[in-house]
Amino acid sequence: MPPSLAGSWMPIQPEDAVLVVASLFNCPIASSVKTSAYSQLFANHWLCGAILLSAALQAAVVQTHWLNLAFETVPLTLQQWATCLVMGNDILRFSELRK
């Protein structure tokens, strides 16, 4: 760790997971401004694979002990994961309402 960060470094908090989950829900929205994200949700197999892989890696970094140590994360409870999914899904729901 650089000397300038010594003493000020904080582990990644559960709230940070919301940003990752929200960005995963945002991926299907980016394909069209006018068409519903649900209309061709599984049409792009590469995007679906990337979202699933990203979600699995996020869960691994947050939940496994040795990755907690490597990335300085803390495990989430089931309630915190549910909160992340609900808040992350809000971006998709609000985007669909706008269309």
Side-chain angles (χ1 to χ4, degrees):
M1 177 176 352
S4 61
L5 294 178
S8 65
W9 187 257
M10 294 193 53
I12 296 173
Q13 298 298 313
E15 299 85 22
D16 300 325
V18 173
L19 296 174
V20 174
V21 173
S23 68
L24 294 178
F25 278 107
N26 191 42
C27 290
I29 299 169
S31 63
S32 175
V33 181
K34 296 181 182 180
T35 306
S36 172
Y38 298 112
S39 66
Q40 295 186 1
L41 188 59
F42 300 106
N44 187 339
H45 299 294
W46 287 104
L47 180 61
C48 291
I51 291 171
L52 290 174
L53 179 62
S54 297
L57 290 173
Q58 173 70 18
V61 165
V62 171
Q63 294 303 123
T64 57
H65 177 69
W66 62 277
L67 288 173
N68 286 155
L69 297 174
F71 290 96
E72 297 187 26
T73 58
V74 292
L76 297 181
T77 64
L78 195 55
Q79 182 180 6
Q80 289 170 324
W81 275 114
T83 302
C84 287
L85 290 174
V86 168
M87 292 179 73
N89 192 18
D90 283 346
I91 192 168
L92 182 59
R93 286 185 283 163
F94 291 136
S95 173
E96 289 301 308
L97 288 172
R98 185 181 50 128
K99 293 178 185 181

